[in-house]
Every structure is written in C-alpha cells, then in structure tokens.
DNA sequence: GTTCCACTATACCGATCTGTATAGTGGAAC
DNA sequence: GTTCCACTATACAGATCGGTATAGTGGAAC
C-alpha cells in the first residue's frame, strides 16, 4: 500500500467510526488524508472498497489482538475465556469509545449483498466459534449453550459501553463470565 | 396529527429502520407516503424532526408494550423480570428483525447535541432503572449489580438477534436471567 | 536519459441532498 | 358564502453526493 493510500485508509477509518459511513463523503476523506480525489480513486476504485478495507483491517487487528492475549494464557484453563473479555475491555478503552465498529457498520449496511456484510457477520461467527472452542478446551458440559451465553454477555458489554449508561460494562461482563465458568466446571 | 402526517411518519419509520437514517432521503419518504414534499415540510419542518418523532413514537410504543406485559404478572415475583425478556422476544419477532432501532440510530447519530440523542439514551436509562426496580421489588441482594447484568444480557440478546448468528437469542437470555434470579433469592 | 509511478491541481459530470416558492383544489366549519 | 386548512403539483435553489477527465510534477529505477 502506498503512503497516500495508507493516509486515505487511516482518515476514512477514523471518520467512518466517529461520524458513520453514510455521513462521510469521499471529498472529506481525501481532504483529511491530504490527498486528491484522483489519488483516492486510483488506489481504491470506489467508496465501497474503502469501507470494505476499513472493516477488514479492523477485523484483522482485532483477531491479532485477541490471539496475542490468548497466547499468554495456558490452554485448558478457564482464564482463556476471561482473557477475551479482558482484551475487549482494553480494546474499547483505547480505540472504541462508541462501541463495536462491526455493529455500527451493520446498522448502516442493510443490503446483505454488500461486500462488507460478510466481514461483519464473519467476525461475529468467528467470535462464537472462538468461545465454543475455548469452553470445549476447558471441558465444560453443554459447551454450545455456554458459548452462546458468553457471546450474549460479550455483545451486550460492547453495546453498553458505547451507550455509556453505566461504567465498565466489559469488566462487569467479565466477572459474570467468571462466575458462570466456575459454576459449570 | 393529520392523515398525511401519519402516512409520512409511518413511511419514514419503515424506511429509516430498514435502510438507515442517512440512507433515506425526504423525496423517497414523501413518495412512499403518497404525499408531496410541501406537505411533509408543512407538518414536520425538517428531516431531523421526522427522525425525532420516529424514535419518540417507537420508544413510547415499546414502553407501553412492556407496561402491558408487566401488568399481567403479580408484583414481587421474579417472573416480572422474565416478562420483560419475553416482551423483547415477541417485540423482535414481530417488528425488529434487524435489532434495536435505538442502537441502530445511535450508530448513525454521532453528535450528542442531536435532538434524537436524549431519546436513545433515555430509553436505555429507563430500561436500566426498570430492571433495578424489578429486582429490588423481588428483594434480591446486590440489586444494582444484578440489574446491570440483566441489562447486559438484554442488550446482547437484541444485538445477537439482529446479527442472526444463532437462533432465538432472546429466549436464551431469558433462560440465563431465570437461572440468575433463582440463584440470588 | 528515458520510463515508471505516486502524486497534485483543477475542472467537470449527472444525480441526489435538504429545503423553499408559487399557484391552485376540495371539503368542512361557521 | 366566505374563511380555513390539509392537501396536490411543479419548479427551483444551493449544496453535496460518488465518480471521471485532462494535464502536469518530482523522484527513483534501470
């Protein structure tokens, strides 16, 4: 990726997350990136493509972030699940004050044929599979059911964080997950 | 409200929810309502005002829906909390296949000074207060903590429903809420 | 020293955006 | 029978939308 393209993607990512995808135009993105529209279209071809690369990059960074946190914890321990919740809390504190970018994008992209759709759904399916794998690893009974509960707790914490109704929902969800895991050993 | 205004609000509500607020223009709303733009602006004054009335009406309907369900259950019972989860499941099945309209609107409205903002936050605060009142009524220990857990479970179920990753997340959340209430008696 | 190539600068396209202006119609109220 | 009023019809304003066209610049590669 060229320096100009990197600046375009960085500016678009910030603007899409802060103001919404439909609310941000390509002229603004180019201007904020310090680039002409010609460069923007030479590199990405369309606004939709910038949206796709914004979500794909964020998805990739999140998965790497989680993988790095999981690598610190011994497999087979219930702490592995808690490490995911801890990762979410840190991730939100540092780069997601307004909630999950995938959920926000899902609210704006109605058409399931949009190329960004599969990225959004793909990340959520990956999270459910991850929870399922982690509780199976931990040898919990009724693993699928437990994984779905963890998924609901996790998504709920993300949304509650974005709404700002009460402080530290991710920490709260983590503590509830810990109790669940302790009870189902 | 005049017949024309009612049709405008009905069309706008459907379109805003299905396609997103920024993605829907006033020309489309007027056309779908079978009304001229003149009528639309005579009745509402601005698109923002239509957005506000869309969310306010939906909020009002939701609160009335919950109140009606709660009225069926004897106060002081843990079943009152479960009635809220049941209400959500039915509400989503009949009119919210894509998730909570407030969460969707929150994803598109970045500015906290937007007149719709307080409606969105207001509904979520009302839900947290409702859960708190219901568990206090039930005489549960650590009521505030329990209410926040229920809030997270509830928001998580709404989002999971919209994403469609697994079936009946509201029913799943309801069952987990029932276990929590049984354990904290 | 010519060929790439990432880039700037600027002007433009047709479409759509929110919002307004002017003129007129049909029916109920009083 | 005139006064309201909710409404239609149409045209337009100024801005912004996503996207394209033409022309040119500066530096590294070979």
């Amino acid at each position: 990726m060229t320096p100009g393209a990197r600046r375009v993607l960085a500016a678009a990512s910030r603007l899409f997350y802060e103001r919404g995808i439909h609310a941000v135009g390509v002229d603004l993105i180019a201007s904020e990136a310090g680039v002409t529209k010609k460069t923007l279209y030479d590199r990405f071809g369309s606004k939709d493509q910038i949206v796709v690369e914004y979500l794909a990059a964020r998805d990739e960074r999140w998965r790497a972030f989680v993988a790095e946190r999981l690598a610190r914890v011994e497999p087979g321990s219930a702490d592995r699940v808690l490490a995911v919740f801890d990762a979410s809390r840190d991730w939100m504190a540092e780069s997601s004050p307004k909630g999950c970018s995938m959920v926000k994008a899902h609210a704006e992209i109605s058409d399931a044929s949009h190329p960004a759709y599969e990225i959004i759904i793909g990340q959520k399916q990956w999270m459910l599979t991850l929870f399922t794998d982690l509780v199976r690893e931990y040898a919990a009974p009724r693993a699928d059911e437990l994984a779905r509960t963890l998924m609901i707790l996790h998504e709920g914490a993300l949304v509650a964080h974005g709404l700002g109704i009460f402080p530290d929902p991710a920490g709260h969800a983590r503590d509830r997950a810990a109790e669940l895991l302790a009870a189902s050993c």
Side-chain angles (χ1 to χ4, degrees), chain A:
Chain A
M1 206 183 291
T2 66
R6 258 190 295 273
R7 294 205 310 275
V8 166
L9 196 52
S13 298
R14 182 175 56 80
L15 291 166
F16 285 158
Y17 184 77
E18 285 175 3
R19 307 191 196 178
I21 292 168
H22 282 122
V24 171
V26 287
D27 292 88
L28 179 60
I29 294 171
S31 160
E32 292 275 303
V35 144
T36 61
K37 274 212 292 183
K38 179 83 165 61
T39 299
L40 185 150
Y41 276 96
D42 281 348
R43 294 302 140 236
F44 295 94
S46 71
K47 182 185 174 182
D48 267 358
Q49 186 57 32
I50 301 181
V51 173
V52 166
E53 297 199 24
Y54 150 59
L55 292 172
R58 199 148 169 143
D59 182 38
E60 201 172 337
R61 261 185 293 138
W62 163 246
R63 295 194 193 196
F65 188 76
V66 171
E68 196 272 329
R69 294 302 189 95
L70 282 175
R72 299 182 192 173
V73 186
E74 202 80 2
S77 157
D79 289 346
R80 297 257 283 174
V81 171
L82 302 184
V84 177
F85 280 86
D86 287 335
S88 269
R89 184 167 55 174
D90 294 346
W91 177 270
M92 286 193 283
E94 88 184 11
S95 67
S96 297
K98 297 168 71 79
C100 172
S101 58
M102 297 296 158
V103 170
K104 275 168 67 70
H106 185 258
E108 289 204 74
I109 297 171
S110 52
D111 193 356
S113 71
H114 191 289
Y117 207 85
E118 63 187 52
I119 298 174
I120 297 167
I121 300 301
Q123 179 177 98
K124 296 306 182 183
Q125 277 170 336
W126 180 81
M127 286 298 296
L128 180 58
T129 304
L130 176 65
F131 280 129
T132 307
D133 290 346
L134 291 178
V135 298
R136 284 213 178 112
E137 190 181 277
Y138 173 56
R142 300 162 83 184
D144 287 355
E145 188 188 273
L146 181 54
R148 289 180 178 188
T149 304
L150 292 169
M151 186 80 186
I152 289 175
L153 275 176
H154 187 254
E155 291 301 319
L158 297 180
V159 173
H161 174 86
L163 293 167
I165 303 298
F166 60 88
D168 193 25
H172 191 99
R174 189 209 112 105
D175 293 346
R176 297 295 83 69
E179 290 173 1
L180 276 175
L181 292 166
S184 76
C185 63

